[in-house]
Amino acid sequence: MANATLNQTTLSETVLIYICPHLPIEVQTLPYMANTTAQVITLLTCIGNGISCPVATVENLLVFAVILKIRSLWTVFNTSVLCLAFTDLLIAMFAQPAFIAYQTGKYISSFACISFITLALITLERHFAVFKPFHYRASVTRFRVLRVTLSGWIAWTVFSFGLRFSPNGMNLKTYSIVSSILISFTLIETVFVYIKLYNATKIKDCSVKTVKGLNPGVISKVG
């Protein structure tokens, strides 16, 4: 009860009243209070728009194609139908994608970190393929690569969305620390592995040139 009273008091103190300079109107605004319910509804709305957007686009284009192709359908009523299809097409092509882009922009950092996870896994895969070829051929398959990659994606998604949808709100400090560690590790790993690959390639090229200089006839015959 005390918490509810405190929240109401805090909320009432954060009300901002603006007076329009041109009209005698008082506008009361409240700050957006993020909560789990609102975030879940927003996520479900984005999913619904993502499904309905391509469907509505295709349906309205089919309406245009059918009516414009069949001359007998060029009636007054179908003219109104075309106008309705045109407005629906604009919504499906511009309004819905804009809404989805705006809302998903709040979660874009999660997808950026997923890209870094994928980059780290690709770098590890290249390292094993070059420096441990026998172990790589025996243990690494397409199914295992997909399984490990999807596991990394799912783990990060659960972590980031768990922080975002937590009852206490988004913990930006924890998210920033973990994201920074992940990005730094990926960059360091990538630089280290590719420097190692470069050195290995350079040594191999020198060996090939040395053998070619000693036995040019054998090399040309093998080639």
Side-chain angles (χ1 to χ4, degrees), residues 107-200:
Y107 308 96
I108 196 65
S109 58
S110 300
F111 296 104
C113 289
I114 287 176
S115 297
F116 279 99
I117 291 174
T118 307
L119 178 60
L121 294 176
I122 290 174
T123 305
L124 287 176
E125 186 266 342
R126 288 294 85 198
H127 180 272
F128 281 111
V130 174
F131 295 102
K132 296 185 179 180
F134 298 106
H135 179 71
Y136 176 83
R137 293 177 183 177
S139 59
V140 178
T141 62
R142 292 181 181 178
F143 175 75
R144 289 181 179 177
V145 169
L146 288 175
R147 186 175 63 182
V148 172
T149 303
L150 290 176
S151 298
W153 292 356
I154 293 172
W156 181 260
T157 302
V158 171
F159 167 75
S160 59
F161 276 70
L163 287 179
R164 187 172 294 277
F165 290 100
S166 64
N168 298 325
M170 179 65 175
N171 192 336
L172 291 176
K173 184 177 181 180
T174 303
Y175 184 84
S176 300
I177 292 174
V178 177
S179 300
S180 300
I181 293 174
L182 173 65
I183 294 172
S184 300
F185 170 78
T186 303
L187 294 177
I188 294 172
E189 177 207 21
T190 303
V191 171
F192 173 76
V193 171
Y194 279 95
I195 289 176
K196 194 174 179 180
L197 289 173
Y198 173 77
N199 291 331

Side-chain angles (χ1 to χ4, degrees), residues 64-142:
F64 267 91
V66 171
I67 293 179
L68 294 178
K69 185 176 181 180
I70 303 174
R71 192 174 183 83
S72 60
L73 296 178
W74 294 6
T75 61
V76 175
F77 174 75
N78 286 334
T79 302
S80 300
V81 171
L82 284 178
C83 293
L84 178 61
F86 178 72
T87 56
D88 289 344
L89 188 62
L90 290 179
I91 293 174
M93 293 181 65
F94 297 103
Q96 287 181 294
F99 173 79
I100 296 172
Y102 172 74
Q103 295 297 337
T104 54
K106 302 173 183 179
Y107 308 96
I108 196 65
S109 58
S110 300
F111 296 104
C113 289
I114 287 176
S115 297
F116 279 99
I117 291 174
T118 307
L119 178 60
L121 294 176
I122 290 174
T123 305
L124 287 176
E125 186 266 342
R126 288 294 85 198
H127 180 272
F128 281 111
V130 174
F131 295 102
K132 296 185 179 180
F134 298 106
H135 179 71
Y136 176 83
R137 293 177 183 177
S139 59
V140 178
T141 62
R142 292 181 181 178

Side-chain angles (χ1 to χ4, degrees), residues 198-211:
Y198 173 77
N199 291 331
T201 305
K202 192 174 180 181
I203 293 173
K204 184 177 179 180
D205 289 340
C206 293
S207 301
V208 171
K209 290 179 180 179
T210 303
V211 174

